[in-house]
């Protein structure tokens, strides 16, 4: 068992001043939230844990796993700042995040960036409890000829918030299926997808968001830039069940083609079973705006730099949505270095 | 008061249509589809050998092909119990007075002869499997325009029909229902507009399916030669029976270089009809196809008019409206296949679901490897009225070229409470306010229709919206 947060106790007059050793606080009903710590558990250990065990047992049969890592955030525990998973997440295999009621967690998963040879497979399972907030960023960088199959499954409960950012860069072949269920009233999800495809890279994203309850909202925003012979398929589906009234579903899906041999497909779809909804989507596939390029070049920038800047500007609205500086800088850094390699 | 009058008119219209519709058939095939029936249809129509061959090929493919595995359920369609060929008790005529009284009364009531006198250059009327009336005004005939029933055209203009009929545009084996269509097609319209002729007044055909558990399979073939212009309007209806009927028509349009074809259809089949239609246009260099598609009736519609933009600078404009009420499923949309450089397509649709109905948009924009600088824009708006109703959108944008520009936008929602409050505070009832908002919603489509059709569509929409509240 690893403790991934370690803070001084905030309770006044705490005899120990350190949650790990303070016996008072553990029984204290009034004070310190640090008495409860976020934990990283091994799979067998997690199955024995009362809350985590129940959560994992509720998974659909095809997602049941025997191995993996679990990040558990107990009720009321707030983990501030991004927790990097580079050291404890496994590059292949299953990662589960269980956030109990009222908890908060920000994760940055860069562990699975292009390591290992041969085909890779990974699963990400997220449980967001009542009123909990989970912000998760996962970045994958695939080398040419690398293959990756991913599966993301999330369930968001009453007034829970899930912000999920997936960044996919490189020339490998990536296939990812995401299913997010908004189970109870007031649950909300923001799903962000970034793809920067280079060489013969192919990325296939299948995102489904299901609204099961009243007053749930979802927002999907994707930006892809494709160079060389890269291709990207985005299949988005927002499903609103007949009883899920007062729902809000939006999709915004754009692709920028930087080379004449790049290919793209977008299918932004809706299946709506009730009248009391506001849904909209917009999708576009296009090239960089000739006027912007002309403007930049007329200011003395070389053509390739102008194209890089345009691509960076294209990602801007998406990157700006990222919740903390550290994650944002990491994402921007990866985009920039990738663009510099490939766009010339 | 005005509403009551409209209601009264509508009910007397349907009663009169029901009375008029009780006309005995000259030939009605038994239920089910056999090779003998296909041969018999071809024999009765005195068709050339090549057409019989295509029919038999259709039958073969129909038996091979599976039912579509996607889209709305077709379980209620009893294919073995349908009559695939029903001939009315009338020969095709060029004079309205020669059409038998019962059939004439049906079309009189639908306003066909009056429309011909006032606004159309040519009119055709089909009753079940056969065309009963066809006429083209003299001035157009003199310019070489051909407007015939498809049966006549097969015999009279084989050089124009043979190479185009269900081959290059809609192949026989495209799907199960095109194969069925090829086997049992009957009636429909053939239009040929010679090079450079601009037909300024629309031509029209009206299809009426009359027999219970019947099937209508009319074939429309439009050939617009280089630089010509033509507009064609189709109207469709059927009386209400309790058992299901099938409409599996096929429309093939060839738009020549720099030609323009505008094809409008208002399909208002009764609520027991499965409308599984196939429509496609092949557009040559600089040509334009304009689709206008209104789907109001039928229990299940699957209709996706397709434009194949085969020549440089070809263009497709599609405008659709679908309305799904109680027990209806309108699964409609448009396809644009860009095969050549500088091709453009636009798709605009409006759909309304109410009273538990479901209206869906299913569309495709595809850019092929040769289509440099292709442009496409798609926009779908859906209005959902009543909590049991639903709406779906499945648009596909696909390109294999980096210089294409494709955009899509859609909005789905209910009628805003603010809009309703505003109208009702001005003294309108809830019913009137909904009608007015829906009227405004479909206005962009209605505005594109010829006047008399716009009036009809408006009235149909209003009839459909009748009694939405309470």
């Amino acid at each position: 068992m690893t403790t991934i947060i370690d803070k001084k106790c905030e309770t006044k007059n705490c005899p120990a001043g350190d949650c790990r050793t303070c016996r008072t606080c553990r029984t204290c009903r009034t004070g310190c939230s640090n008495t409860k710590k976020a934990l990283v558990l091994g799979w067998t250990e997690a199955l024995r844990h009362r809350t985590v065990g129940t959560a994992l047992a509720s998974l659909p049969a095809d997602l049941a796993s025997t191995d993996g890592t679990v990040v558990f955030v107990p009720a009321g525990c707030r983990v501030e700042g991004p927790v990097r998973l580079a050291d404890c997440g496994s590059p292949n295999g299953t990662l589960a995040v269980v956030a109990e009621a009222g908890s908060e967690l920000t994760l940055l998963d860069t562990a699975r960036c292009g390591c290992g040879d041969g085909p890779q497979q990974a699963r990400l399972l997220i449980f967001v409890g009542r009123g909990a907030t989970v912000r998760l960023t996962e970045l994958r960088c695939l080398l040419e000829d690398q293959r990756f199959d991913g599966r993301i499954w999330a369930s968001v409960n009453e007034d829970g918030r899930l912000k999920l950012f997936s960044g996919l860069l490189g020339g490998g072949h990536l296939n990812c299926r995401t299913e997010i269920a908004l189970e109870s009233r007031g649950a909300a999800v923001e799903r962000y997808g970034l793809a920067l495809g280079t060489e013969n890279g192919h990325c296939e994203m299948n995102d489904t968001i299901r609204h099961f309850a009243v007053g749930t909202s979802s927002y999907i925003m994707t930006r892809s830039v494709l160079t060389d012979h890269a291709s990207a398929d985005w299949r988005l589906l927002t499903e609103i069940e007949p009883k899920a009234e007062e729902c809000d579903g939006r999709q915004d899906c754009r692709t920028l083609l930087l080379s004449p041999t790049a290919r793209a497909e977008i299918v932004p779809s809706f299946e709506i079973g009730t009248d009391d909804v506001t849904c909209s989507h917009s999708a576009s596939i296009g090239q960089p705006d000739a006027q912007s390029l002309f403007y930049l070049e007329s200011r003395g920038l070389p053509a390739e730099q102008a194209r890089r800047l345009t691509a960076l500007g294209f990602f801007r609205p998406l990157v700006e949505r990222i919740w903390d500086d550290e994650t944002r800088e990491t994402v921007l850094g990866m985009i920039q270095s990738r663009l510099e390699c490939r766009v010339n | 008061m005005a509403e009551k009058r409209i209601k009264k008119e509508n009910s007397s219209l349907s009663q009169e249509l029901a009375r008029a519709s009780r006309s005995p058939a000259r030939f009605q095939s038994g239920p089910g589809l056999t090779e003998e029936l296909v041969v018999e249809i071809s024999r009765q129509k005195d068709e050339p050998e090549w057409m019989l061959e295509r029919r038999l090929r259709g039958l073969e493919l129909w038996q091979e092909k599976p039912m579509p595995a996607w889209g709305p359920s077709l379980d209620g369609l009893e294919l073995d119990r349908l009559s695939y060929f029903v001939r009315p008790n009338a020969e095709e005529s060029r004079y309205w007075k020669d059409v038998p009284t019962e059939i004439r009364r049906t079309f009189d009531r639908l306003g066909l002869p009056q429309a011909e006198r006032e606004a159309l250059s040519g009119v055709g009327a089909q009753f079940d499997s056969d065309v009963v009336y066809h006429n083209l005004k003299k001035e157009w005939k003199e310019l070489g325009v051909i407007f015939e029933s498809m049966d006549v055209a097969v015999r009279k203009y084989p050089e124009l029909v043979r190479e185009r009929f269900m081959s290059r545009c809609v192949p026989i084996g495209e799907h199960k229902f095109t194969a069925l269509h090829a086997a049992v097609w009957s009636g429909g319209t053939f239009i040929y507009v010679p090079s450079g002729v601009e037909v300024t007044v629309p031509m029209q055909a009206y299809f009426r399916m009359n027999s219970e558990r019947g099937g209508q399979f009319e074939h429309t073939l439009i050939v617009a030669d280089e630089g010509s212009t033509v507009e064609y309007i189709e109207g469709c209806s059927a009386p209400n029976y309790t058992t299901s009927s099938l409409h599996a028509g096929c429309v093939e349009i060839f738009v020549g270089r720099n030609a323009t074809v505008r094809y409008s259809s208002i399909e208002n089949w009764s609520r027991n009809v499965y409308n599984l239609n196939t429509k496609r246009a092949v557009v040559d260099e600089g040509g334009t196809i304009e689709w206008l598609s209104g789907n109001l009736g039928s229990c299940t519609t699957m209709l996706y008019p397709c434009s194949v933009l085969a020549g440089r600078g070809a263009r497709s404009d599609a405008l659709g409206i679908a309305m799904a009420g109680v027990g209806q499923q309108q699964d409609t949309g448009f396809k644009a296949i860009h095969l050549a450089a500088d091709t453009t397509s636009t798709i605009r649709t409006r759909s309304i679901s109410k009273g538990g109905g479901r209206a869906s948009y299913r569309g495709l924009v595809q850019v092929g490897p040769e289509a440099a600088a292709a442009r496409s824009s798609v926009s779908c708006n859906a209005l959902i009225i009543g909590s049991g109703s639903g709406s779906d959108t499945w648009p596909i944008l696909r390109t294999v070229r980096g210089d294409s520009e494709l955009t899509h936008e859609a909005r789905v929602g209910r009628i805003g409470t603010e809009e309703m409050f505003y109208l009702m505070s001005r003294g309108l009832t809830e019913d009137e306010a909904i009608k007015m908002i829906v009227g405004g919603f479909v206005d962009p489509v209605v505005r594109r229709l010829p006047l008399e059709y716009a009036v009809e569509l408006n009235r149909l929409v209003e009839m459909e919206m009748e009694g939405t509240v309470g």
Side-chain angles (χ1 to χ4, degrees):
Chain A
M1 184 189 290
T2 325
T3 308
I4 59 170
I5 62 155
D6 187 10
K7 282 189 179 174
K8 291 289 176 199
C9 184
E10 293 160 355
T11 313
K12 276 182 188 173
N13 309 324
C14 175
D18 180 349
C19 296
R20 279 178 303 178
T21 50
C22 170
R23 287 171 189 279
T24 323
C25 289
R26 282 193 186 162
T27 51
C28 166
R29 286 168 186 269
T30 55
C32 170
S33 59
N34 285 335
T35 48
K36 293 176 171 176
K37 293 182 174 59
L39 307 170
V40 176
L41 309 166
W43 202 263
T44 12
E45 201 178 359
L47 287 174
R48 284 201 298 270
H49 191 285
R50 201 159 54 96
T51 329
V52 183
T54 326
L56 295 181
S58 71
L59 281 171
D62 59 328
L63 283 167
S65 180
T66 51
D67 187 27
T69 312
V70 180
V71 176
F72 170 65
V73 198
C77 174
R78 298 159 70 89
V79 183
E80 284 165 14
V83 175
R84 277 182 182 260
L85 261 191
D87 305 325
C88 38
S90 53
N92 289 328
T94 307
L95 170 70
V97 175
V98 182
E100 273 192 333
S103 63
E104 198 176 319
L105 174 72
T106 310
L107 264 183
L108 170 57
D109 178 6
T110 52
R112 308 189 241 192
C113 266
C115 36
D117 295 324
Q120 300 177 28
Q121 272 191 328
R123 282 172 180 174
L124 175 60
L125 314 168
I126 307 167
F127 298 85
V128 183
R130 197 150 54 84
T133 304
V134 173
R135 306 181 196 91
L136 200 151
T137 310
E138 51 148 15
L139 299 171
R140 290 182 202 289
C141 213
L142 293 181
L143 303 176
E144 208 175 354
D145 302 329
Q146 260 184 340
R147 265 192 83 87
F148 178 83
D149 281 310
R151 176 104 191 255
I152 300 175
W153 181 94
S155 141
V156 187
N157 276 296
E158 197 176 329
D159 293 324
R161 296 266 173 284
L162 171 64
K163 296 185 178 188
L164 183 58
F165 185 103
S166 297
L168 316 149
L169 303 101
H173 189 113
L174 182 134
N175 185 337
C176 186
R177 186 146 72 94
T178 306
E179 289 164 277
I180 299 170
L182 301 171
E183 312 270 8
S184 341
R185 180 186 282 269
V189 61
E190 288 171 33
R191 167 83 174 124
Y192 301 107
L194 178 152
L196 173 54
T198 56
E199 292 128 338
N200 284 315
H202 176 67
C203 126
E204 213 172 301
M205 305 295 287
N206 241 312
D207 284 21
T208 305
I209 295 181
R210 294 195 175 89
H211 292 248
F212 289 106
V214 176
T216 47
S217 75
S218 67
Y219 179 47
I220 307 180
M221 180 179 189
T222 75
R223 294 285 183 274
S224 337
V225 171
L226 304 171
T227 67
D228 308 321
H229 293 278
S231 57
D233 289 1
W234 289 94
R235 290 165 190 278
L236 312 175
L237 171 63
T238 304
E239 242 182 77
I240 298 182
E241 297 291 315
K243 281 181 190 156
E245 285 167 347
E246 296 165 39
C247 282
D248 188 5
R250 283 179 294 153
Q251 299 175 353
D252 171 7
C253 189
R254 289 176 197 203
T255 301
L256 183 72
L257 306 169
L258 284 187
S259 113
T261 45
R263 288 176 294 136
E265 178 169 336
I266 303 181
V267 187
S269 29
F270 277 120
E271 290 180 14
I272 300 167
T274 180
D275 68 330
D276 195 358
V277 294
T278 328
C279 287
S280 65
H281 60 197
S282 63
S284 71
I285 302 176
Q287 311 98 55
D289 176 29
Q291 275 196 348
S292 320
L293 287 178
F294 178 79
Y295 176 83
L296 292 171
E297 285 178 44
S298 73
R299 291 291 180 276
L301 287 180
E304 61 272 24
Q305 200 176 346
R307 275 151 58 82
R308 280 203 291 272
L309 277 178
T310 317
L312 207 59
F314 181 75
F315 282 131
R316 195 90 217 170
L318 184 68
V319 174
E320 273 172 3
R321 295 260 180 170
I322 295 176
W323 29 88
D324 68 87
D325 295 343
E326 192 182 331
T327 313
R328 200 177 309 120
E329 291 309 315
T330 314
V331 173
L332 269 177
M334 282 174 79
I335 298 174
Q336 264 162 342
S337 61
R338 201 68 216 161
L339 280 175
E340 266 160 39
C341 288
R342 296 306 312 174
V343 180
N344 41 46
Chain B
M1 209 36 212
E3 244 173 63
K4 268 191 186 159
R5 206 182 56 238
I6 291 175
K7 259 187 194 165
K8 203 175 166 194
E9 265 180 30
N10 289 339
S11 74
S12 75
L13 171 68
S14 57
Q15 277 167 12
E16 211 168 304
L17 278 173
R19 262 202 307 280
S21 298
R22 283 187 214 114
S23 70
R26 176 158 53 118
F27 175 89
Q28 176 153 12
S29 70
L33 180 58
T34 56
E35 191 174 328
E36 292 77 59
L37 174 65
V38 173
V39 175
E40 175 64 20
I41 294 173
S42 192
R43 193 193 61 77
Q44 285 202 18
K45 288 179 180 292
D46 193 17
E47 282 174 355
E49 193 60 25
W50 60 268
M51 185 50 85
L52 178 62
E53 273 166 30
R54 280 184 205 184
R55 283 185 185 275
L56 291 172
R57 177 78 188 126
L59 181 68
E60 205 178 304
L61 288 166
W62 152 257
Q63 282 155 349
E64 275 172 27
K65 295 244 167 206
M67 288 290 270
W70 49 275
S73 158
L74 301 175
D75 294 345
L77 188 58
E78 299 168 295
L79 288 168
D80 298 334
R81 299 178 67 182
L82 293 180
S83 283
Y84 288 90
F85 189 52
V86 186
R87 305 199 88 171
N89 203 1
E91 294 288 340
E92 185 181 337
S93 167
R94 290 197 187 280
Y95 301 100
W96 194 241
K97 61 178 175 36
D98 293 345
V99 177
T101 330
E102 297 83 17
I103 296 174
R104 204 168 64 205
R105 203 184 293 154
T106 308
F107 286 111
D108 275 345
R109 205 58 194 90
L110 289 165
L112 197 67
Q114 196 188 351
E116 181 188 5
R117 273 198 301 276
E118 285 167 7
L120 303 165
S121 58
V123 160
Q126 175 161 350
F127 209 70
D128 286 324
S129 297
D130 273 2
V131 173
V132 292
Y133 174 72
H134 234 272
N135 190 26
L136 176 68
K137 286 189 177 160
K138 207 174 140 204
E139 55 197 285
W140 302 114
K141 225 180 270 174
E142 280 167 2
L143 286 169
V145 177
I146 301 171
F147 180 60
E148 283 288 359
S149 86
M150 200 62 223
D151 298 314
V152 173
V154 167
R155 293 192 300 266
K156 224 166 144 186
Y157 308 103
E159 73 288 354
L160 286 171
V161 176
R162 189 173 174 173
E163 59 166 312
R164 295 186 177 93
F165 190 93
M166 297 201 84
S167 59
R168 200 158 70 86
C169 190
V170 179
I172 295 174
E174 168 106 1
H175 55 78
K176 193 171 177 76
F177 290 94
T178 50
L180 173 67
H181 176 90
V184 297
W185 76 270
S186 180
T189 308
F190 173 72
I191 295 174
Y192 173 76
V193 187
S195 177
V197 175
E198 288 186 26
V199 185
T200 49
V201 194
M203 300 188 192
Q204 190 197 346
Y206 204 97
F207 300 106
R208 178 138 179 106
M209 192 180 347
N210 224 48
S211 40
E212 189 167 4
R213 259 202 206 107
Q216 194 171 54
F217 309 92
E218 84 286 348
H219 193 96
T220 298
L221 177 59
I222 301 173
V223 182
D225 233 331
E226 193 173 334
S228 63
T229 306
V230 63
E231 178 171 358
Y232 173 68
I233 308 170
E234 261 178 17
C236 314
S237 71
N240 239 324
Y241 292 116
T242 46
T243 50
S244 65
S245 305
L246 170 64
H247 174 251
C250 180
V251 177
E252 296 181 285
I253 303 175
F254 290 85
V255 184
R257 284 179 61 184
N258 299 322
T260 302
V261 175
R262 179 186 272 199
Y263 172 94
S264 313
S265 77
I266 303 297
E267 306 202 22
N268 188 30
W269 301 104
S270 61
R271 298 292 168 82
N272 52 337
V273 173
Y274 282 80
N275 185 19
L276 314 174
N277 231 335
T278 310
K279 301 182 181 184
R280 183 169 303 157
V282 178
V283 189
D284 275 352
E285 197 176 324
T288 304
I289 173 78
E290 290 178 31
W291 296 101
L292 197 147
S293 179
N295 289 290
L296 295 119
S298 74
C299 62
T300 300
T301 301
M302 287 173 85
L303 172 58
Y304 323 97
C306 172
S307 309
V308 179
L309 304 172
R312 191 187 188 98
R315 186 183 162 79
S316 160
D317 282 319
L319 196 57
I321 168 174
M323 197 147 177
V326 185
Q328 283 182 294
Q329 192 159 7
Q330 303 282 8
D331 200 285
T332 60
F334 289 97
K335 292 195 239 177
I337 315 289
H338 294 251
L339 296 181
D342 302 322
T343 45
T344 50
S345 65
T346 62
I347 298 172
R348 304 266 171 277
T349 69
R350 292 271 197 277
S351 76
I352 300 158
S353 327
K354 62 175 185 68
R358 200 163 189 107
S360 310
Y361 173 82
R362 196 188 293 273
L364 168 70
V365 174
Q366 183 162 345
V367 177
E370 306 293 319
R375 301 273 175 279
S376 174
S377 106
V378 183
S379 120
C380 326
N381 281 4
L383 197 60
I384 312 181
I385 303 169
S387 58
S389 320
S391 177
D392 310 309
T393 328
W394 298 289
I396 301 177
L397 305 180
R398 186 183 291 154
T399 177
V400 293
R401 285 196 63 103
D403 54 1
S404 356
E405 193 104 31
L406 315 178
T407 62
H408 173 94
E409 56 177 313
R411 257 183 57 80
V412 184
R414 67 195 302 201
I415 295 178
T417 40
E418 268 178 43
E419 289 167 286
M420 286 297 287
F421 178 78
Y422 177 82
L423 290 173
M424 286 169 74
S425 73
R426 293 289 180 279
L428 294 181
T429 64
E430 198 177 350
D431 217 8
E432 285 166 340
I434 290 181
K435 270 187 203 166
M436 188 172 274
I437 292 167
V438 171
F441 184 72
V442 299
D443 190 56
V445 179
V446 175
R447 232 184 302 163
R448 289 267 302 271
L449 281 169
L451 185 66
E452 65 279 9
Y453 257 82
V455 173
E456 187 186 335
L457 186 67
N458 260 337
R459 221 176 108 190
L460 286 172
V461 169
E462 226 170 77
M463 268 163 73
E464 287 290 324
M465 295 312 298
E466 206 76 43
T468 307
V469 178

